Amino acid sequence: MEHKDGRFMSLPYENASSGTAALDDIHKVLTRFGCARFGTMTDNEKGELLVQFTYRGKDVSVKASYRGYAAAWLKEHPYNPSRHRRTRIQHEARATDQAKISVCSVLRDWIKGQITAIEVGILSFEGAFLGQILLGDGRTILDHASTNGLLELDKPEAV
């Protein structure tokens, strides 16, 4: 990423190191907010981290693509065999490992921001988490809107 003055800045969260601690922070924030249930899951097939919780009877499922983050990391740190002491596969594995950690921190900060916006009256709960609220059939409102042509979504970049 480049600043307007031509200097380069690092990829946000690329130095994050608190994957598990970030998930613990999410749990604490949601518990203080009054959420009844909380859980996380890594879906290695889809390359996603899921955070699910229940607030006042509404189930919420937040998905974050660590493959998307890994692609951004690789864009910022392209493989260069003369500069790196590892193979391309090792370099890509490093990107995925960092992405799995970084995405935890991104979600922690995003969820904290949404909860703060709710608590100070900027947003309603539904306004903050509308796309992630689960319907009776297990799909999110965002999935439903996309599937039924109510919303056209951009496809995330693949690694």
Side-chain angles (χ1 to χ4, degrees), residues 16 25 56 94 149:
D25 286 348
R56 295 187 180 171
R94 178 175 178 211

Side-chain angles (χ1 to χ4, degrees), residues 31-70:
T31 299
R32 279 194 308 269
F33 185 61
C35 293
R37 295 181 289 205
F38 171 83
T40 61
M41 180 178 80
T42 301
D43 184 337
N44 288 320
E45 286 182 19
K46 292 182 181 177
E48 295 176 334
L49 172 66
L50 284 78
V51 174
Q52 293 188 327
F53 60 92
T54 301
Y55 177 72
R56 295 187 180 171
K58 292 183 178 110
D59 292 327
V60 175
S61 181
V62 180
K63 295 178 188 176
S65 171
Y66 62 79
R67 285 190 185 147
Y69 190 94

Side-chain angles (χ1 to χ4, degrees), residues 103-138:
V103 163
C104 294
S105 295
V106 170
L107 281 181
R108 175 199 58 215
D109 292 350
W110 183 76
I111 289 172
K112 275 185 178 180
Q114 297 301 83
I115 297 296
T116 301
I118 294 165
E119 289 177 335
V120 300
I122 295 172
L123 294 171
S124 66
F125 177 82
E126 292 78 8
F129 292 105
L130 182 64
Q132 294 79 29
I133 294 173
L134 288 169
L135 299 170
D137 64 6

